[in-house]
Amino acid sequence: MAALPPLILASRSPYRQQLLRQVGLPHQAVPADVDERRHPDEAPHDYVIRLAKAKAERVAADHPDALVIGSDQAAVLGDRVLGKPGTEAVAQEQLAAASGRCVTFLTGLAVVHGATDRREADVVPYRVHFRNLDEETIRRYVAREKPLDCAGSFKSEGLGIVLFQRMEGGDPNALIGLPLIRLFDFLLSFGYPLVSDPGSA
């Protein structure tokens, strides 16, 4: 049986790396140097898949024998795209805007194999319906969890779950930034097993 290409995650995100470790996928993390600014009037769906592809292709250019995973995410509230807040004040403002409303998370996913010039890509949606949140709850949450590097200003794998009324979607890992179900669809098409040998992880 031919050896499988090594996996590279084109990201410095510790959350995405943890998800890959969680499912036993040995990988190397190589951040992609791409301009992540959204183009004027660019639809959120187009934005996340463009960046996911750009990240994977940038790293694949230097590692053609590897299978490179690129991912990017946008949180959409009405006609507004919520980015990573960066400060507690912005995080509080984002959560206040999301209170009692539905935020749609769009996660772009791309897998590129430079040696064969083969590419797979998709956008995976996930919806979060927020509880009605008062100002004090929001302040306490942001101070306690400091979700300043998370689109939408919460960590669903942590205390952020208490902010939700319900969630809708096919893969909750998409909320963390890497939809594992779709990723394994892609990896299976490249010959990766669903469960790796115990000695390989």
Side-chain angles (χ1 to χ4, degrees):
M1 181 178 175
L4 294 170
L7 286 179
I8 294 180
L9 176 66
S11 172
R12 63 172 50 89
S13 166
Y15 310 112
R16 292 186 177 112
Q17 293 177 50
Q18 178 57 33
L19 283 174
L20 290 182
R21 286 193 293 269
Q22 196 173 289
V23 291
L25 283 176
H27 66 282
Q28 178 185 2
V30 179
D33 181 21
V34 299
D35 184 350
E36 297 193 18
R37 287 176 294 186
R38 187 177 166 210
H39 294 165
D41 301 320
E42 185 175 28
H45 178 284
D46 298 337
Y47 170 60
V48 296
I49 200 164
R50 174 177 64 81
L51 284 187
K53 289 177 179 177
K55 291 175 181 180
E57 288 171 0
R58 176 64 58 86
V59 174
D62 294 329
H63 302 271
D65 294 329
L67 208 56
V68 182
I69 302 164
S71 187
D72 200 81
Q73 186 182 71
V76 183
L77 177 61
D79 57 1
R80 176 183 173 192
V81 175
L82 306 177
K84 297 174 183 178
T87 68
E88 291 194 10
V90 174
Q92 290 175 17
E93 186 277 326
Q94 285 190 356
L95 290 174
S99 175
R101 300 177 67 188
C102 176
V103 176
T104 300
F105 286 80
L106 299 174
T107 304
L109 176 68
V111 177
V112 174
H113 189 223
T116 59
D117 200 32
R118 183 174 163 194
R119 290 159 171 76
E120 300 285 351
D122 198 6
V123 174
V124 179
Y126 202 86
R127 291 179 231 358
V128 174
H129 296 262
F130 281 79
R131 299 179 186 276
N132 291 313
L133 304 172
D134 60 76
E135 186 176 323
E136 183 63 14
T137 296
I138 291 171
R139 185 195 65 76
R140 288 178 180 175
Y141 170 72
V142 172
R144 181 166 168 179
E145 194 146 65
K146 293 187 168 40
L148 308 185
D149 61 346
C150 302
S153 300
F154 66 83
K155 297 180 182 180
S156 62
E157 69 277 23
L159 183 62
I161 196 74
V162 306
L163 307 177
F164 309 157
Q165 195 168 53
R166 70 180 188 277
M167 302 187 295
E168 299 171 346
D171 186 350
N173 295 298
L175 266 185
I176 306 173
L178 192 63
L180 292 176
I181 292 175
R182 183 69 82 252
L183 176 60
F184 269 100
D185 289 340
F186 293 164
L187 294 182
L188 282 169
S189 74
F190 281 97
Y192 274 79
L194 280 176
V195 180
S196 63
D197 185 274
S200 65

